[in-house]
Amino acid sequence: MTQTDNRGRKKAMIIAISEYDNFPNLEFVKNDGEMMYKTLKKIGFEISDKRKLIGKVDHDTMTKSIKEFFRGDDVKSSDTLLLYYSGHGVPHSRNDYYFVTSETRSDKPDVEGYSYDELSKISRNSNSTKIVKIIDCCYSGALGIPSKGDEKSKALIGKRKIEKSFEQEGEGRFVLASSLGSQESFSLKDKTCSVFTYHINQGLNGSEP
């Protein structure tokens, strides 16, 4: 086995849904996805075309891609997996939270939405022991994820976790949410991207968020 195999690979998946049939479109989310794609590629993450879902994303495509990303036969225990999501998110009924796909209905998010419980289950059963999930959407704190401080401080926490907790020999699973359970997430004043994603990218590109 080569040294590269021992170290594992750094792989990322980008989901940035900006076009919706039943929810307001989020044009700036396209920029979120492209920004994260460029930054993660720059710092050494592999992102294949099928793991770059930006714009209009249907439920089946998203479900299949996430499953393959975390549970594919090519995933090794030494691999670092990073999933980034930007778009609408909605709490529904008791302790359920759904990522909104392009065709999700507001009255039935459990039908065409993608549940966070499902994401947690799939990632928990992944062969990888180094997993980062960055969730940039409204009410993401409803997931029960610790969310400390404003966007800058949360982004700084994320930057440090990615840099220090997931080094070649490190292990761990980390989730970073952009908002509290009762909060919405916002774009910058010029609406070019979300506030949270902007600060994450600033940090990963070498600037203090």
Side-chain angles (χ1 to χ4, degrees), residues 18-155:
S18 59
E19 299 176 34
Y20 300 89
D21 297 333
N22 305 296
F23 285 78
N25 288 337
L26 299 171
E27 286 300 319
F28 66 88
V29 167
K30 288 182 182 178
N31 294 334
D32 284 351
E34 293 293 348
M35 186 184 299
M36 285 299 295
Y37 174 77
K38 291 177 182 177
T39 295
L40 292 173
K41 290 277 285 186
K42 179 181 175 182
I43 62 176
F45 278 86
E46 301 173 21
I47 309 173
S48 64
D49 289 342
K50 65 181 179 180
R51 291 172 182 160
K52 182 186 179 186
L53 306 180
I54 297 176
K56 195 172 185 68
V57 182
D58 64 75
H59 172 269
D60 290 347
T61 298
M62 181 168 164
T63 300
K64 181 180 179 181
S65 297
I66 290 175
K67 187 179 296 184
E68 290 178 350
F69 181 61
F70 287 109
R71 300 282 286 135
D73 293 337
D74 63 333
V75 178
K76 310 301 182 186
S77 62
S78 55
D79 290 344
T80 298
L81 303 183
L82 186 152
L83 181 139
Y84 167 84
Y85 174 85
S86 180
H88 284 299
V90 292
H92 179 67
S93 67
R94 288 187 182 177
N95 301 319
D96 286 337
Y97 186 90
Y98 292 87
F99 302 116
V100 179
T101 64
S102 289
E103 76 268 45
T104 302
R105 288 172 48 179
S106 58
D107 60 332
K108 293 183 178 180
D110 55 316
V111 177
E112 280 116 0
Y114 187 85
S115 77
Y116 183 75
D117 283 347
E118 181 65 20
L119 175 60
S120 296
K121 183 187 300 182
I122 288 176
S123 62
R124 188 166 56 245
N125 291 325
S126 176
N127 286 334
S128 170
T129 58
K130 297 183 280 189
I131 293 175
V132 183
K133 287 178 280 187
I134 300 175
I135 311 299
D136 190 354
C137 58
C138 295
Y139 314 115
S140 52
L143 305 174
I145 302 166
S147 182
K148 299 179 180 179
D150 60 15
E151 286 85 356
K152 288 185 180 181
S153 60
K154 286 179 286 188

